[in-house]
Amino acid sequence: MAKGARFGNDFLFKQVEKRKKWKRKGVKAGHGGDFNIDAPIAELNRISASVMTPPTAAQVSTALMDTSELPNWLVAILKRDSEVARAATQKKVTLESPHKQRLAQGIKTPKELNDTKLAEHWLQVRLFYTIEVQYPNEYEFVFAIPNGGYRTPRAASLMKYEGQKKGTPDVFIPIPKGIYHGMFLEVKTDKGTVSKEQKDKMERYQKMGYYVVAAKGFDACMEQLTNYLALPSFDNKTTLAA
């Protein structure tokens, strides 16, 4: 399981050097075997060679982190996004982006990340993270509609009291594009299906002049969002095939 960094750069590098000396002298580890530090040393050398300044604590911790339980897409984010890496490897780090914060939490707790009940939750977190990074201007207007996902019976009741409407799509973009007043996106996992209530609600929104579509998986969802945002601003003639 991934854990936060406990020591600074100097200490970590000294420990690596110490273990290199032990290995050369044939000193055995506590389990009776050799100190296997070739992989972390190679990774630290790679990081050091790729930047002009010494690696940060987050970079060092990321290089030494066990990512075997993480999906490839999250490992890629961990490697390229310094903020996510910092929050995932250090304690008491609060990020401005709630999506980056949540991804860091998932890195720290792979068990929750791999919980099938939260599959659509993590899909939508990844989706909003990507929108925030790739479309920062549009991101300010895109919002989620909390209808789906796993919740307790009491939480579900409270949502209804507050105005939650069954069948409403998950994401709304109130930005007029082409002939559309805005876009509704129903987010589904690869195994998800669209319910009758959702189909009925989606058809009603389409008749009202919105671009409405259901998509399965991250790639399909991002493709739909990208295509919509690429439309000209409300020219009243350009359309998309849903």
Side-chain angles (χ1 to χ4, degrees), residues 50-79:
S50 65
V51 293
M52 297 301 294
T53 57
T56 64
Q59 287 175 316
V60 173
S61 298
T62 300
L64 300 175
M65 180 182 291
D66 178 11
T67 59
S68 60
E69 295 183 77
L70 303 180
N72 292 335
W73 64 265
L74 189 51
V75 174
I77 290 176
L78 177 64
K79 290 181 178 180

Side-chain angles (χ1 to χ4, degrees), residues 165-168 197-205:
K165 300 292 180 66
K166 194 173 184 179
T168 305
E197 291 87 353
Q198 289 171 335
K199 289 181 180 179
D200 292 342
K201 190 64 69 72
M202 290 170 67
E203 289 177 359
R204 294 173 67 181
Y205 282 129

Side-chain angles (χ1 to χ4, degrees), residues 8-240:
N9 289 4
D10 291 341
F11 178 86
L12 290 171
F13 281 113
K14 286 179 181 178
Q15 289 298 307
V16 170
E17 290 302 316
K18 185 184 295 185
R19 282 159 176 72
K20 287 169 67 176
K21 292 180 181 179
W22 288 344
K23 186 174 182 179
R24 285 197 299 268
K25 293 180 179 180
V27 178
K28 299 297 182 181
H31 51 69
D34 294 329
F35 286 93
N36 184 11
I37 59 172
D38 292 338
I41 290 174
E43 183 64 13
L44 287 172
N45 288 337
R46 184 190 67 78
I47 292 175
S48 298
S50 65
V51 293
M52 297 301 294
T53 57
T56 64
Q59 287 175 316
V60 173
S61 298
T62 300
L64 300 175
M65 180 182 291
D66 178 11
T67 59
S68 60
E69 295 183 77
L70 303 180
N72 292 335
W73 64 265
L74 189 51
V75 174
I77 290 176
L78 177 64
K79 290 181 178 180
R80 70 170 181 261
D81 194 310
S82 60
E83 288 189 319
V84 174
R86 182 165 60 89
T89 57
Q90 299 179 30
K91 296 180 179 180
K92 297 181 180 180
V93 174
T94 301
L95 302 178
E96 182 177 350
S97 167
H99 320 302
K100 292 185 179 184
Q101 191 80 51
R102 184 57 174 149
L103 291 177
Q105 292 171 358
I107 293 170
K108 289 182 176 180
T109 56
K111 183 177 180 181
E112 183 180 17
L113 181 68
N114 296 316
D115 187 343
T116 55
K117 293 180 180 178
L118 296 175
E120 192 169 304
H121 163 78
W122 288 111
L123 169 57
Q124 202 155 310
V125 170
R126 182 187 178 190
L127 194 65
F128 269 85
Y129 165 83
T130 306
I131 297 171
E132 181 181 25
V133 172
Q134 296 186 6
Y135 300 97
N137 295 328
E138 292 83 354
Y139 167 77
E140 296 300 320
F141 301 97
V142 184
F143 60 88
I145 301 172
N147 282 327
Y150 174 78
R151 57 175 60 94
T152 64
R154 173 168 172 73
S157 296
L158 292 176
M159 295 294 290
K160 290 181 181 179
Y161 298 150
E162 295 169 7
Q164 179 259 352
K165 300 292 180 66
K166 194 173 184 179
T168 305
D170 298 301
V171 179
F172 181 51
I173 304 178
I175 304 175
K177 290 281 188 176
I179 67 169
Y180 310 106
H181 302 306
M183 174 183 179
F184 282 100
L185 173 65
E186 178 61 36
V187 178
K188 293 295 181 184
T189 63
D190 293 330
K191 297 181 180 179
T193 57
V194 179
S195 69
K196 181 181 183 303
E197 291 87 353
Q198 289 171 335
K199 289 181 180 179
D200 292 342
K201 190 64 69 72
M202 290 170 67
E203 289 177 359
R204 294 173 67 181
Y205 282 129
Q206 284 178 333
K207 292 178 180 179
M208 294 171 65
Y210 293 95
Y211 179 66
V212 189
V213 65
K216 288 188 175 184
F218 173 79
D219 291 337
C221 287
M222 275 308 302
E223 181 180 7
Q224 290 292 342
L225 287 167
T226 300
N227 290 342
Y228 181 77
L229 292 175
L231 290 173
S233 296
F234 209 36
D235 63 359
N236 205 30
K237 62 181 180 180
T238 309
T239 63
L240 283 174

